[in-house]
Amino acid sequence: MSDSRVSLEKAENRANEQSEKPSAVQAEEWKVGTGAYIALIAVILLFSGAFLKVDGMAWLGAFDFTTLGGSFGTMKDPAANTFVGAGGLSAKAGFLFALSLVPTVMLALGMLEIFTHYGAIRAAHKLLTPLLKPILGIPGHTGLALITDLQSTDAGAALSKELYDTKQITRKDVVIMGAWQYSGAGLINNYFSIGSAMFASLTIPVIIPLLVMFVMKFVGAVFVRFALNTVYKKDFDNE
């Protein structure tokens, strides 16, 4: 009897040790150090478009995601067309368009893996959760996908899908993120490339319309979150 009791106690001790290990490993995984914050700052600067066009410091563009993504060459006749061509229809045109997105998406995912290794996701989760959780109800590590969307809609969507596929976010989180991203998609890129034609006629500082559009992205996402928590609440009961 004593031997069986001793062996039973040993088995219980082993089980307790094994149950404690995952929590210790998890705590170590989510530990945020100085390197993680540096990686977060670097990835934000890379994807935010802050270095896209800096007067007098054009060399900073080498550290911008759009610059690194590059551009396709053009056809000689007509000169404005890329390899996608003009006048394409249906499945074949869609295939070539999708193919043109591959380099940008691959670059974004590759960059994300590098910065994730250095702790950028952990730092984003710790810093942005107090902001994003109360307003949008989504975890802080989604912040990188949202920041990326300010410059590249394709890369932002790819990062969002990556988070969902790895079960870091729920289906409800994806819908809210989609609402935020869809409103003013590629905001910085589009504003300074297309909207620049209107800058000369503006009677207010150029930054004001950009800030208004940025705030309205949150307003739209909050409305969607409210709808999901009320009208469509039953659709997410099983999550």
Side-chain angles (χ1 to χ4, degrees), residues 74-86:
T74 58
M75 302 292 187
K76 290 184 178 180
D77 187 23
N81 288 337
T82 65
F83 75 92
V84 178

Side-chain angles (χ1 to χ4, degrees), residues 87-107:
L89 295 172
S90 214
K92 290 183 179 179
F95 175 79
L96 282 179
F97 175 73
L99 190 63
S100 70
L101 303 180
V102 171
T104 304
V105 173
M106 289 178 63
L107 177 63

Side-chain angles (χ1 to χ4, degrees), residues 7-107:
S7 61
L8 182 61
E9 289 177 355
K10 287 182 178 179
E12 289 178 351
N13 290 335
R14 264 192 241 106
N16 291 334
E17 288 176 0
Q18 290 177 354
S19 64
E20 290 173 358
K21 282 181 181 179
S23 60
V25 171
Q26 188 177 15
E28 183 65 26
E29 286 180 352
W30 286 98
K31 185 178 179 181
V32 179
T34 305
Y37 289 115
I38 294 174
L40 176 62
I41 293 170
V43 74
I44 288 175
L45 292 174
L46 175 72
F47 285 114
S48 66
F51 292 154
L52 182 57
K53 292 180 180 179
V54 181
D55 293 337
M57 303 181 72
W59 59 271
L60 286 175
F63 302 99
D64 179 73
F65 178 75
T66 298
T67 305
L68 293 173
S71 60
F72 290 110
T74 58
M75 302 292 187
K76 290 184 178 180
D77 187 23
N81 288 337
T82 65
F83 75 92
V84 178
L89 295 172
S90 214
K92 290 183 179 179
F95 175 79
L96 282 179
F97 175 73
L99 190 63
S100 70
L101 303 180
V102 171
T104 304
V105 173
M106 289 178 63
L107 177 63

Side-chain angles (χ1 to χ4, degrees), residues 183-206:
S183 173
L187 180 59
I188 292 176
N189 229 8
N190 291 329
Y191 183 71
F192 286 103
S193 60
I194 302 173
S196 58
M198 301 295 295
F199 287 172
S201 60
L202 287 177
T203 57
I204 57 176
V206 172

Side-chain angles (χ1 to χ4, degrees), residues 184-237:
L187 180 59
I188 292 176
N189 229 8
N190 291 329
Y191 183 71
F192 286 103
S193 60
I194 302 173
S196 58
M198 301 295 295
F199 287 172
S201 60
L202 287 177
T203 57
I204 57 176
V206 172
I207 196 66
I208 300 299
L210 184 64
L211 290 176
V212 171
M213 288 186 281
F214 182 73
V215 170
M216 292 307 294
K217 288 171 75 71
F218 281 93
V219 173
V222 168
F223 273 116
V224 170
R225 181 191 180 192
F226 176 77
L228 297 182
N229 288 336
T230 53
V231 181
Y232 301 100
K233 186 176 181 179
K234 291 183 178 179
D235 294 344
F236 301 94
D237 284 344

